[in-house]
């Protein structure tokens, strides 16, 4: 008789693939990758039970750098792909990686509806207030007075507020993290995965190439002074009035997640039969 397989506890390094990231030296996304792999180890998951889905952007390269199942999709469309995957394969832990361009601009509408649907996903947006991959255009979270080649003197446009929009749209868990604190970021990701429903983590992740001044975020990021609330009204007031560098869980809701399909769709033949006219 074969001896039973020993349960092996995996470490963060077991979730890192052999591909060497091509990010610029000092990019915040290195630490986010580290935080994700640490969180998966903390959760005692295995790579074959996890899928990482993304769109397009420097931040969206994350799936290739993990040993989990990965899907590097189309710009702005990570959430629909992840939603379909989670509903069809509810036993998988599904993480979604995005950037502020991918997630709030071209993918903005999917963001609203993913919050509303409340499928059990963990959405990690690496926000650097710029389109990094396409060389520094302003994004929805860019400050109105940030001058760039495309918008000398700034866009003059008000920033998108992802956290309050997530709250208003129904996200069940809302946190802000900072890539400069990979251990804190890992703990927040693990907490988000554990919380049922759609969990959203906005990670401040500097683009040192196009926004070198973001290196200064390490001096202004600070732990949230009060614990999370489950009251959306209080959370809204708090998120609307904080300084944008408040790190921690800000809201944990109690909405039941969207129910995964209760019955298996069966074989393709069964499906064909069911849809026969
Ligand atoms: C349909 C489509 N439109 C535009 C692009 C070009 N494009 C690629 S990445 C990107 C922006 C990425 O910015 P962000 O999501 O903030 O990620 P970052 O590179 O900063 O991590 C754009 C506009 C594309 N690939 N596909
Ligand atoms: S361009 Fe910016 S976001 Fe992209 S890898 Fe370089 S530092 Fe990171």
């Amino acid at each position: 008789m074969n001896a039973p397989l020993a349960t092996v506890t995996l470490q963060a390094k077991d979730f890192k693939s052999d591909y060497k990231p091509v990010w610029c030296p000092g990019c915040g996304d290195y630490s986010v990758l580290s935080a994700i792999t640490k969180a998966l180890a903390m959760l005692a998951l295995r790579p074959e039970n996890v899928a990482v889905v993304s769109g397009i952007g420097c931040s969206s390269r994350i799936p290739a750098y993990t040993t989990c199942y990965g899907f590097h999709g189309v710009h702005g469309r990570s959430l629909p792909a992840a939603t379909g995957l989670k509903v069809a394969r509810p036993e998988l832990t599904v993480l979604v990686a995005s950037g502020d361009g991918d997630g709030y601009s071209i993918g903005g509408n999917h963001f609203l509806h993913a919050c509303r649907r409340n499928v059990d996903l963990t959405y990690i947006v690496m926000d650097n207030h710029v389109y990094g991959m396409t060389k520094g255009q302003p994004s929805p979270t860019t400050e109105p007075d940030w001058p760039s080649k495309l918008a000398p003197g700034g866009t003059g446009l008000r920033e998108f507020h992802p956290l309050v929009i997530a709250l208003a749209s129904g996200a069940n868990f809302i946190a802000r993290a900072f890539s400069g604190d990979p251990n804190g970021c890992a703990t927040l990701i693990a907490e988000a995965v554990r919380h049922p429903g759609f969990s959203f983590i906005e990670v401040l992740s500097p683009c040192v190439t196009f926004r070198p001044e973001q290196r200064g975020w390490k001096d202004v990021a600070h732990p949230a002074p009060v614990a999370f609330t489950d009251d959306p009204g209080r959370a809204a007031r708090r998120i609307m009035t904080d300084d944008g560098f408040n790190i921690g869980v800000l809201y944990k809701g109690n909405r039941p997640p969207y129910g995964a399909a209760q019955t298996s769709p069966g074989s393709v033949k069964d499906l064909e039969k069911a849809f026969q006219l």
Side-chain angles (χ1 to χ4, degrees):
M1 202 171 95
N2 289 336
L5 286 172
T7 316
V8 183
T9 311
L10 299 182
Q11 297 171 1
K13 66 176 173 49
D14 299 310
F15 292 92
K16 275 197 182 152
S17 74
D18 294 334
Y19 291 107
K20 205 169 152 348
V22 294
W23 294 314
C24 311
C27 175
D29 296 351
Y30 284 99
S31 302
V32 182
L33 172 63
S34 249
I36 290 174
T37 58
K38 280 182 185 166
L40 295 173
M42 269 181 210
L43 292 161
L45 287 164
R46 300 192 60 84
E48 62 269 28
N49 302 129
V50 180
V52 187
V53 179
S54 72
I56 300 290
C58 300
S59 38
S60 291
R61 290 181 179 273
I62 290 246
Y65 303 143
T66 77
T67 50
C68 306
Y69 286 113
F71 184 78
H72 189 187
V74 189
H75 194 34
R77 311 294 178 221
S78 57
L79 284 170
T83 301
L85 174 62
K86 181 67 187 179
V87 172
R89 295 283 308 275
E91 75 284 7
L92 288 177
T93 295
V94 181
L95 307 185
V96 192
S98 188
D100 43 303
D102 185 76
Y104 305 149
S105 191
I106 191 168
N109 192 34
H110 296 303
F111 178 41
L112 304 183
H113 294 284
C115 294
R116 185 172 73 83
R117 291 191 177 106
N118 200 27
V119 172
D120 190 14
L121 301 171
T122 297
Y123 188 40
I124 302 163
V125 180
M126 283 148 268
D127 192 348
N128 52 19
H129 302 182
V130 74
Y131 289 3
M133 181 173 262
T134 46
K135 303 202 182 303
Q137 299 85 2
S139 87
T141 49
T142 301
E143 302 78 352
D145 57 353
W146 182 68
S148 62
K149 277 190 194 148
L150 265 192
T155 61
L157 298 174
R158 182 198 161 102
E159 301 101 312
F160 184 85
H161 199 321
L163 295 134
V164 85
I165 287 167
L167 181 72
S169 309
N172 213 30
F173 177 105
I174 298 171
R176 188 188 284 117
F178 174 47
S179 62
D181 172 18
N183 290 333
C185 188
T187 307
L188 287 174
I189 294 172
E191 210 170 332
V193 171
R194 282 194 202 103
H195 196 74
F198 187 79
S199 296
F200 168 53
I201 309 182
E202 154 92 350
V203 188
L204 300 173
S205 180
C207 173
V208 293
T209 299
F210 295 106
R211 305 291 315 257
E213 73 282 11
Q214 291 175 349
R215 289 180 189 272
W217 281 355
K218 65 177 182 327
D219 303 321
V220 286
H222 60 91
V226 280
F228 68 85
T229 173
D230 64 356
D231 176 344
R234 290 181 65 164
R237 219 169 14 257
R238 185 173 166 196
I239 294 170
M240 283 299 280
T241 55
D242 78 9
D243 63 359
F245 292 97
N246 214 17
I247 305 302
V249 181
L250 305 172
Y251 174 73
K252 267 192 190 181
N254 303 308
R255 287 179 67 210
Y258 179 86
Q262 299 300 311
T263 51
S264 150
S267 68
V268 174
K269 273 209 168 352
D270 293 337
L271 279 175
E272 281 172 355
K273 222 161 116 191
F275 282 95
Q276 230 160 36
L277 295 176

